Amino acid sequence: MLISLTVGKVDAGVAVLLTEDKRLIEFPSILLPPSISSGSIVDITVSRNFASEAASQKSFQSLQSSILSTYGQQSPSSPIIRCRNATQTSVVLEWDPVSLATAELRTLSLYRNGSKAGNIPKPMEMTSTKISGLAVDTEYNFHLVLRTSAGTYSSEKLTVRTHKMTDLSGITVTPGLMAPPLRESLSGAVDRIGAKIAENVRIDTTHFVCMEGRGRDWEKAVEMNIPVVRPEWVEGCEREGRIVGVRGYYLNADPKLRQVGQGVGFQSPQRQQQRGGSTEGPTSSTASIPNSQLPTRGPPDLSTSASANNLRASNLPPPPLSPREGSSPAPPPPAKDTPQEMPTSQTSPSQSTSSLPASTEGGSARSQEPSTDQVDDSSSQKLKPVNQKNGVTSPKGEDNASMVDVAL
């Protein structure tokens, strides 16, 4: 198609062309011949290029297919959360690596009981987290929320219940430097309480057990704020039947800080008495004596009563004499709290009377010999002096009227 146009005005960039019906067309000056000026007539041929049009359509369709296959087939996946380990006061959660497809990550947040607990740092690298400070034997709900440039995706809610104090299955022990026999003993104690052993320090390691504070695992445990305790801590948990505090089981802790209570195998004194056993403890003076060897109380032996009373009488202090004129006062009786010194040899009644103080009245020596006659029955009787019938010299004087005979 051929078109004739008249050049009206030529500028540096645009030329004004006029059609036969006086219509103005702006045309690029660079496409016109260099010798064109106002009033010149130019012929322009216009035609459709079908080959170039087909090639352009083909290229456009290829681009659309590439965009669809790259961005339209995949989308970010919802995170899947699960519980790795639970103890009395902590929970370890883990999830699969985040799948973003072609989207860009915004945040990965953890929610507890419907409230935001915080954002996960480095969500493309971390796949687990530990939550501490929880209540004992309490139920919690957790879920993750993934925010991307392609939208927001939430995980299913996970219900976790913390353990009771007597549930030791959540304990995960990592052993450190210790002797091989002690290592075997530790493994046996861990198996008996239902706990687990991890060879390396992990996020779910609850306690690091060793005898010396050195080594790579020990440094990692200290960096992760994992309690470093002695093997006796596991034995304490086994003895008590529940988890015990770690304060008294640190490497440099005083053993006196260990609070030892009634363990699983402990039996109360009432229960042991019901079973016919004996209790051990400082409050029972006959704890180790069988019942068959305990002394029994029976009727008194009258054959040995007199000799026993004579021996007691020789060891007792003499009763005080009534003071008279010109006589020296009798020494005061010893105090009750002052212990009496036992004689080294048994003296006869005549010898015991020679040491008593004598009265100056009448020039005769006065002697007194107290004696006791005790009958072993439910009621205690006072000691009473006896007369000459029992072979003991009784006091003379005004006190003879108060003396009575005790028949055995």
Side-chain angles (χ1 to χ4, degrees):
M1 178 178 167
L2 182 61
I3 301 174
S4 297
L5 299 173
T6 301
V7 178
K9 182 181 179 182
V10 179
D11 291 334
V14 177
V16 178
L17 304 179
L18 300 176
T19 63
E20 294 180 356
D21 55 354
K22 309 302 180 184
R23 294 179 181 272
L24 299 177
I25 299 176
E26 291 183 351
F27 194 82
S29 301
I30 194 173
L31 298 178
L32 297 174
S35 59
I36 295 299
S37 62
S38 298
S40 301
I41 297 175
V42 296
D43 294 335
I44 298 176
T45 302
V46 180
S47 62
R48 183 177 180 181
N49 192 341
F50 293 97
S52 298
E53 186 178 340
S56 179
Q57 287 290 339
K58 185 177 180 180
S59 177
F60 180 75
Q61 293 295 333
S62 176
L63 178 61
Q64 293 292 328
S65 299
S66 176
I67 293 174
L68 178 62
S69 61
T70 303
Y71 299 99
Q73 300 295 329
Q74 297 179 355
S75 61
S77 302
S78 299
I80 301 175
I81 188 173
R82 53 185 174 270
C83 178
R84 181 172 180 175
N85 188 34
T87 63
Q88 282 74 14
T89 58
S90 64
V91 172
V92 177
L93 305 175
E94 63 179 3
W95 54 89
D96 296 335
V98 176
S99 176
L100 298 176
T102 58
E104 295 181 359
L105 176 65
R106 297 290 189 263
T107 58
L108 179 63
S109 304
L110 177 65
Y111 285 76
R112 180 178 68 185
N113 294 338
S115 300
K116 185 177 180 179
N119 295 331
I120 304 298
K122 299 180 181 179
M124 299 302 299
E125 301 176 6
M126 296 184 60
T127 58
S128 60
T129 186
K130 183 176 182 179
I131 303 175
S132 304
L134 304 180
V136 179
D137 193 18
T138 306
E139 190 175 273
Y140 294 91
N141 294 323
F142 299 95
H143 73 279
L144 290 172
V145 175
L146 176 64
R147 293 180 176 88
T148 66
S149 59
T152 302
Y153 303 86
S154 300
S155 67
E156 297 291 337
K157 290 187 178 181
L158 174 66
T159 301
V160 181
R161 189 176 190 89
T162 54
H163 292 178
K164 298 179 179 179
M165 296 298 292
T166 56
D167 188 358
L168 306 179
S169 61
I171 298 176
T172 302
V173 173
T174 298
L177 295 177
M178 64 181 67
L182 190 58
R183 176 74 174 267
E184 296 179 1
S185 176
L186 175 64
S187 300
V190 169
D191 292 338
R192 288 191 296 270
I193 66 177
K196 301 178 288 294
I197 290 183
E199 295 299 329
N200 299 322
V201 177
R202 308 178 309 193
I203 191 174
D204 58 338
T205 299
T206 58
H207 299 82
F208 185 81
V209 181
C210 65
M211 296 297 295
E212 300 180 15
R214 58 188 178 90
R216 184 176 180 181
D217 288 338
W218 173 79
E219 295 178 355
K220 188 175 181 180
V222 173
E223 181 181 356
M224 298 176 61
N225 294 326
I226 297 175
V228 180
V229 296
R230 298 173 60 88
E232 289 84 352
W233 179 82
V234 181
E235 298 176 358
C237 293
E238 180 183 7
R239 179 180 61 253
E240 299 297 325
R242 63 180 184 88
I243 188 170
V244 297
V246 298
R247 181 182 178 185
Y249 296 92
Y250 289 132
L251 296 183
N252 57 350
D254 187 0
K256 296 180 181 180
L257 299 177
R258 302 174 186 175
Q259 298 179 358
V260 181
Q262 297 182 357
V264 176
F266 182 85
Q267 294 182 359
S268 61
Q270 293 81 1
R271 185 176 180 181
Q272 289 186 356
Q273 291 179 0
Q274 293 177 359
R275 298 182 60 182
S278 62
T279 60
E280 295 182 1
T283 57
S284 177
S285 59
T286 59
S288 59
I289 303 177
N291 294 334
S292 59
Q293 299 181 7
L294 293 176
T296 57
R297 185 182 183 118
D301 189 0
L302 301 182
S303 62
T304 60
S305 177
S307 60
N309 292 335
N310 293 336
L311 179 59
R312 296 191 189 99
S314 62
N315 297 330
L316 291 176
L321 298 177
S322 58
R324 296 187 180 183
E325 284 187 35
S327 62
S328 60
K336 295 183 180 180
D337 296 336
T338 304
Q340 296 291 331
E341 183 178 359
M342 298 295 294
T344 56
S345 60
Q346 182 175 358
T347 58
S348 61
S350 60
Q351 294 176 348
S352 62
T353 56
S354 62
S355 60
L356 296 178
S359 175
T360 57
E361 182 180 357
S364 61
R366 301 181 60 190
S367 62
Q368 291 185 357
E369 179 65 23
S371 176
T372 58
D373 188 9
Q374 184 178 0
V375 179
D376 190 5
D377 56 4
S378 59
S379 61
S380 61
Q381 299 182 3
K382 297 182 179 179
L383 298 179
K384 299 179 181 181
V386 297
N387 60 0
Q388 191 69 23
K389 294 180 180 181
N390 291 331
V392 181
T393 304
S394 59
K396 298 180 181 181
E398 63 274 23
D399 295 333
N400 287 342
S402 61
M403 301 300 173
V404 294
D405 294 340
V406 178
L408 299 179

